[in-house]
């Protein structure tokens, strides 16, 4: 649980929830050299990186007033669809 306090107005926001981090990374590095002669060289190289994300989360919030009463409650749900970013 996380507690955030507004010291000026004496209000508190409480939050708790579940968060998932599922990230997959792929990196490919390649290269080759061609020796034209003893003093000249031709190089070809490159790389490729890809990330796949899936990060759903759900958080419940409560606003607590100066007298300790609950003024408001709300939920926040986030869904991140897995996608490929080349």
């Amino acid at each position: 649980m996380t507690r955030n306090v507004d010291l000026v107005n004496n209000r508190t926001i409480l939050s708790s929830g579940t968060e998932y981090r599922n990230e997959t990374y792929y990196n490919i590095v390649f290269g080759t050299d061609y020796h034209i002669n003893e003093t000249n060289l031709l190089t070809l190289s490159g790389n490729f990186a890809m990330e796949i994300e899936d990060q759903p989360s759900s958080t419940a919030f409560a606003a607590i007033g100066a007298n300790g009463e609950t003024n408001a409650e709300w939920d926040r749900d986030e869904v991140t669809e897995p996608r490929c970013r080349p």
Side-chain angles (χ1 to χ4, degrees), residues 18-82:
T18 306
E19 184 175 320
Y20 300 97
R21 296 282 184 214
N22 185 12
E23 299 176 327
T24 304
Y25 298 95
Y26 298 97
N27 289 309
I28 300 170
V29 179
F30 62 92
T32 187
D33 292 332
Y34 175 70
H35 295 267
I36 298 169
N37 55 39
E38 288 186 21
T39 58
N40 292 298
L41 175 71
L42 179 63
T43 300
L44 174 65
S45 66
N47 71 28
F48 174 80
M50 182 173 69
E51 176 183 1
I52 300 171
E53 296 180 352
D54 183 17
Q55 302 177 358
S57 67
S58 178
T59 307
F61 294 90
I64 311 298
N67 296 335
E69 76 281 1
T70 301
N71 295 331
E73 294 180 305
W74 66 96
D75 294 322
R76 176 179 169 179
D77 293 319
E78 293 180 59
V79 177
T80 303
E81 295 182 16

